[in-house]
Amino acid sequence: MRIESVDVLVCSPGRAFCTVRIATDDGLVGYGDGTLNGRELAVASYVADHVAPTLVGADASRINDIWQYCYRGAYWRRGPVTMSAISAIDQALWDLNAKALGVPVHRLLGGRARDFITAYPHCTGHTVEAALTDAAARLAEGYRALRVQAQVPGVPTAYGVARGDEEYEPASSVLPDVEEWDTGAYLDFLPELIRATRDELGYGFELLHDGHHRLSPSQAGWMGRRLEPYRMFWLEDPTPEEDQRAFATVRSLTSCPIAVGEVWNSVHDCQHAITERLIDYIRIPVTHGGGLTHLRQILALADVYGIRSGLQGASDISPIGQAANFALDWTIPNFGMQEYMGYPEDTWRVFTPHYRLEGGVITLDGTPGLGVEFDEEAAARYPYEPRSLPVNRLRDGGMYDW
Ligand code: GCO
Ligand code: MG
């Protein structure tokens, strides 16, 4: 099981994905997801130019050693590009090793700790009414947890809301779109949206909302207090994530559960927030968090502090990365909730999943490996199309967090 090749395949079936393939001298192949939305080629270059040549000839069964070689062996550590690159390699190795043994990856992680994985979708609309219609339709499909977002009156383009009638996709233009943000309008609006959701649809489901890094700690505390009567499952990213200590202020002001982590990449990004119990759910996806090898360490630390998982599952995590999330969701004791945003139709012409999402729950069918097939010929029919995430400016033109 010597590594013969490490290749990167970047394609755009409906949206961009960066996939790493590792092949061994005995004919085994594994795939991993390294998609970093709007920065796909940076990860591709990191893998292809800097790591792939160093792994040829390595024993593919030594996942732990290869992880340490890629992480500890590099002087320049951490960060989203590096950790997504390491993750893609790590996922491909878990996929390959599980295929070699003829078992799903979760069997290598000790087996299932639950019968199904609870998933939440995105519910959204240009008006409160439209968002609630969407939410009601998802409840009718069987979902028992919903993320609800809607257009903020006075803010022309809101995070999480499509521009026209198409599905929402944040990276939708070649150069970054400029969006406009108004914190006051959001502070006025969100409690109304959440109240209307509970008034209209009741309390028989878990309710989530993503603040997308836009409040100060005191604003977030104010907001959390206003949401308390509506029993939120979580308020996500109330403040920018890089300031772990800010969550102490949020915590001191509200009992609303807080979910954070989709832009963290390493245990060192969240060590303080975890050990000081500043958050309730941790959202680092396998794809951006150094792979299964590293994320399970983070989740084990989180468990010691009573923090549960809420792994990011936006459309920019490929179906392979999602399957890697599921492998952990199945096996950890501290599962909380799994995001499942969904994919454009064309994505399914390249990726064939063996997981099922039905009635708001995810189940797997026992296929060896991560359980997602990647069709390289189909991928070649969808050449890479670069897309950027938007940027945010305030009314006065000053830059703001997106
Ligand atoms: C989420 C996220 C995403 C991000 C996206 C950026 O909660 O799923 O906030 O929608 O905006 O991953 O690329
Ligand atoms: Mg988010």
Side-chain angles (χ1 to χ4, degrees):
M1 256 176 77
R2 295 271 157 203
I3 294 180
E4 206 168 62
S5 60
V6 178
D7 291 294
V8 188
L9 305 124
V10 184
C11 61
S12 291
R15 69 163 343 284
F17 296 109
C18 174
T19 307
V20 167
R21 175 192 53 209
I22 298 184
T24 60
D25 55 4
D26 47 0
L28 288 162
V29 177
Y31 292 97
D33 175 33
T35 308
L36 187 59
N37 208 3
R39 296 288 184 270
E40 295 83 8
L41 298 186
V43 177
S45 168
Y46 191 102
V47 174
D49 298 327
H50 303 291
V51 185
T54 70
L55 296 183
V56 173
D59 179 350
S61 71
R62 296 181 60 183
I63 304 175
N64 288 320
D65 184 63
I66 292 174
W67 196 91
Q68 293 294 332
Y69 179 83
C70 291
Y71 180 82
R72 212 166 288 273
Y75 185 63
W76 312 110
R77 292 179 191 169
R78 304 163 58 196
V81 174
T82 301
M83 297 305 278
S84 302
I86 295 177
S87 176
I89 291 162
D90 184 75
Q91 288 170 52
L93 289 172
W94 280 96
D95 186 41
L96 189 150
N97 275 275
K99 284 173 179 162
L101 296 167
V103 294
V105 167
H106 65 80
R107 288 278 302 280
L108 299 187
L109 295 169
R112 292 196 285 118
R114 54 192 45 77
D115 297 329
F116 57 81
I117 297 165
T118 306
Y120 72 88
H122 291 191
C123 304
T124 169
H126 293 283
T127 60
V128 171
E129 207 185 9
L132 296 190
T133 304
D134 192 17
R138 296 311 189 120
L139 288 177
E141 284 170 35
Y143 281 96
R144 282 292 161 263
L146 307 176
R147 187 187 98 156
V148 178
Q149 314 280 139
Q151 187 88 43
V152 179
V155 177
T157 45
Y159 162 74
V161 183
R163 276 159 189 247
D165 289 337
E166 70 281 9
E167 292 286 307
Y168 175 67
E169 172 57 61
S172 53
S173 55
V174 179
L175 293 177
D177 283 329
V178 181
E179 298 190 342
E180 189 182 296
W181 180 247
D182 182 338
T183 304
Y186 178 66
L187 290 172
D188 289 342
F189 174 70
L190 185 63
E192 284 307 301
L193 172 67
I194 297 301
R195 184 192 52 73
T197 308
R198 286 306 197 192
D199 282 355
E200 186 86 7
L201 303 173
Y203 284 77
F205 64 97
E206 303 295 357
L207 180 53
L208 301 79
H209 176 81
D210 189 349
H212 223 267
H213 325 264
R214 295 181 184 188
L215 300 178
S216 70
S218 47
Q219 288 166 338
W222 184 95
M223 178 68 86
R225 273 210 305 275
R226 264 136 202 93
L227 301 187
E228 280 168 19
Y230 308 111
R231 194 181 62 72
M232 298 297 288
F233 187 79
W234 76 43
L235 172 63
E236 179 184 334
D237 285 335
T239 60
E241 290 190 8
E242 62 265 54
D243 185 359
Q244 290 182 62
R245 284 175 171 74
F247 296 107
T249 304
V250 182
R251 258 285 189 261
S252 70
L253 295 172
T254 178
S255 64
C256 182
I258 303 296
V260 184
E262 67 180 47
V263 303
W264 287 338
N265 315 109
S266 126
V267 70
H268 303 290
D269 294 340
C270 50
Q271 185 180 3
H272 178 79
I274 291 175
T275 58
E276 293 298 314
R277 303 173 199 268
L278 303 184
I279 59 173
D280 299 274
Y281 296 92
I282 184 140
R283 283 188 42 77
I284 308 178
V286 171
T287 297
H288 301 150
L292 292 144
T293 302
H294 191 56
L295 194 60
R296 71 180 171 145
Q297 179 188 359
I298 296 173
L299 292 168
L301 179 69
D303 185 40
V304 174
Y305 292 91
I307 295 164
R308 303 184 83 87
S309 71
L311 307 190
Q312 194 206 10
S315 58
D316 42 298
I317 304 298
S318 91
I320 295 173
Q322 274 285 35
N325 282 341
F326 302 157
L328 292 176
D329 293 338
W330 274 127
T331 51
I332 55 172
N334 50 333
F335 172 76
M337 187 67 78
Q338 175 63 54
E339 179 181 28
Y340 196 96
M341 180 176 166
Y343 297 95
E345 268 305 302
D346 281 351
T347 300
W348 302 122
R349 299 189 211 291
V350 172
F351 297 89
T352 305
H354 288 272
Y355 59 77
R356 270 165 70 91
L357 169 60
E358 214 178 302
V361 304
I362 294 158
T363 48
L364 309 182
D365 71 0
T367 304
L370 286 170
V372 176
E373 286 159 38
F374 183 77
D375 182 338
E376 295 191 23
E377 280 176 26
R381 289 197 288 276
Y382 294 95
Y384 177 55
E385 292 172 16
R387 294 279 183 273
S388 301
L389 287 169
V391 297
N392 238 352
R393 288 189 185 275
L394 297 173
R395 267 210 190 123
D396 66 4
M399 284 293 293
Y400 201 67
D401 301 278
W402 181 80

